């Protein structure tokens, strides 16, 4: 599963090691050394995953996680803390802050890649990172932007993932349980009517451009994107 990854670590040797291994594995990688630089890059584009050291200049990695989870635009980023801190208390604090996994240094690059794939599968097992253009809509998972003509469309993170999946599988009918599995993930414990609520929000966001009618209800079955 190819992903856009942002590495935040003050150690140049660690950044170089991660860039080498992640690039070889087919991932797109951006690097920075501190939280403030990371926020600048995140303002430009939202990655699929963040690899983060706890001990950063200025704001700590834990504080950065909490800040990202407080914002709708960055709440959906998968986060693995890769840190020299090996204490159990530190791991618990990072996971409680919102990290998806914790790996201590020194680490085996193959183990890190395996953990990354596991987290990405849990987060959005069927998500696509490729941009798609259809019916006058342009959707780019990397920048988390949807545009109708020249007009941007503001979507929440769940509505964005829902539209991303539907546009990458046009004309196919998906049941509510399938959408829960493919958009929310296998481990999501939600009722099927949750899908209806988010489809409603997605249609409302698409209404100004007239694209709400492309999200079609198939009575007794589920939903599909009509191209």
């Amino acid at each position: 599963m190819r992903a856009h990854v942002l590495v935040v670590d003050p150690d140049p040797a660690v950044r170089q090691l991660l860039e080498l291994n992640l690039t070889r594995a087919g991932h797109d990688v951006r690097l920075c050394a501190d939280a403030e630089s990371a926020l600048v890059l995140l303002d430009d584009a939202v990655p699929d995953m963040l690899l983060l050291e706890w001990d950063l200049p200025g704001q700590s990695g834990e504080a950065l996680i909490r800040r990202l989870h407080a914002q709708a635009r960055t709440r959906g980023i998968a986060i693995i803390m890769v840190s020299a801190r090996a204490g159990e208390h530190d791991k618990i604090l990072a996971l409680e802050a919102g990290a998806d996994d914790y790996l201590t240094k020194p680490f085996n690059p193959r183990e890190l890649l395996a953990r990354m794939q596991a987290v990405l599968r849990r987060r959005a097992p069927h998500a696509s990172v490729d941009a798609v253009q259809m019916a006058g809509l342009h959707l780019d998972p990397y920048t988390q932007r949807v545009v109708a003509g020249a007009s941007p469309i503001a979507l929440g993170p769940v509505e964005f993932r829902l539209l991303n999946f539907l546009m990458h599988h046009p004309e196919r009918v998906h049941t509510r349980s399938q959408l829960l599995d493919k958009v929310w993930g296998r481990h999501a414990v939600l009722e099927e009517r949750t899908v209806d609520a988010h489809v409603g929000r997605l249609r409302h966001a698409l209404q100004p451009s007239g694209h709400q009618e492309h999200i079609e209800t198939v009575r007794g079955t589920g939903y599909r994107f009509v191209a």
Side-chain angles (χ1 to χ4, degrees):
M1 185 182 295
R2 176 173 166 263
H4 296 281
V5 184
L6 175 60
V7 175
V8 189
D9 196 294
D11 188 334
V14 173
R15 294 199 302 271
Q16 184 178 20
L17 174 66
L18 288 171
E19 182 180 30
L20 176 63
N21 284 278
L22 294 175
T23 303
R24 283 180 176 175
H27 299 298
D28 295 318
V29 185
R30 295 206 290 178
L31 309 170
C32 63
D34 55 63
E36 292 306 314
S37 300
L39 290 170
V40 172
L41 293 175
L42 288 164
D43 188 56
D44 176 58
V46 178
D48 301 300
M49 174 165 285
L50 191 65
L51 300 182
L52 180 65
E53 167 61 66
W54 183 303
D55 294 309
L56 299 174
Q59 186 174 178
S60 71
E62 183 208 9
L64 179 59
I65 293 174
R66 294 186 185 278
R67 183 169 178 174
L68 297 180
H69 272 261
Q71 302 175 23
R73 184 170 178 266
T74 53
R75 192 175 298 142
I77 302 173
I79 301 174
I80 298 180
M81 186 164 276
V82 184
S83 178
R85 293 197 181 196
E88 183 177 353
H89 179 66
D90 296 321
K91 295 178 183 179
I92 292 171
L93 284 178
L95 295 171
E96 288 179 343
D100 295 277
D101 201 352
Y102 194 106
L103 187 63
T104 56
K105 298 175 181 176
F107 58 89
N108 184 319
R110 291 181 61 186
E111 181 183 0
L112 173 61
L113 290 170
R115 287 179 181 241
M116 287 175 59
Q117 294 301 324
V119 169
L120 290 169
R121 283 195 299 269
R122 289 199 305 268
R123 276 304 191 99
H126 297 270
S128 174
V129 296
D130 298 320
V132 61
Q133 186 163 334
M134 194 173 298
L137 284 177
H138 179 83
L139 180 148
D140 188 342
Y142 184 37
T143 60
Q144 297 277 297
R145 292 188 174 99
V146 179
V147 178
S151 302
I153 296 175
L155 296 179
V158 175
E159 288 73 39
F160 184 91
R161 295 200 306 270
L162 181 60
L163 182 61
N164 184 27
F165 178 78
L166 290 173
M167 286 184 68
H168 277 89
H169 302 84
E171 308 298 340
R172 296 189 196 176
V173 180
H174 305 280
T175 67
R176 290 165 178 82
S177 62
Q178 287 172 335
L179 289 172
L180 281 173
D181 176 31
K182 297 174 181 179
V183 176
W184 279 263
R186 293 180 183 274
H187 300 281
V189 183
L190 298 168
E191 297 183 2
E192 291 188 358
R193 62 185 177 184
T194 300
V195 177
D196 299 331
H198 285 283
V199 168
R201 292 176 189 171
L202 176 58
R203 283 174 169 157
H204 180 74
L206 295 174
Q207 192 168 1
S209 65
H211 286 88
Q212 75 280 3
E213 296 184 2
H214 289 277
I215 311 297
E216 186 176 90
T217 300
V218 180
R219 189 177 298 276
T221 306
Y223 300 97
R224 67 181 165 199
F225 185 91
V226 181

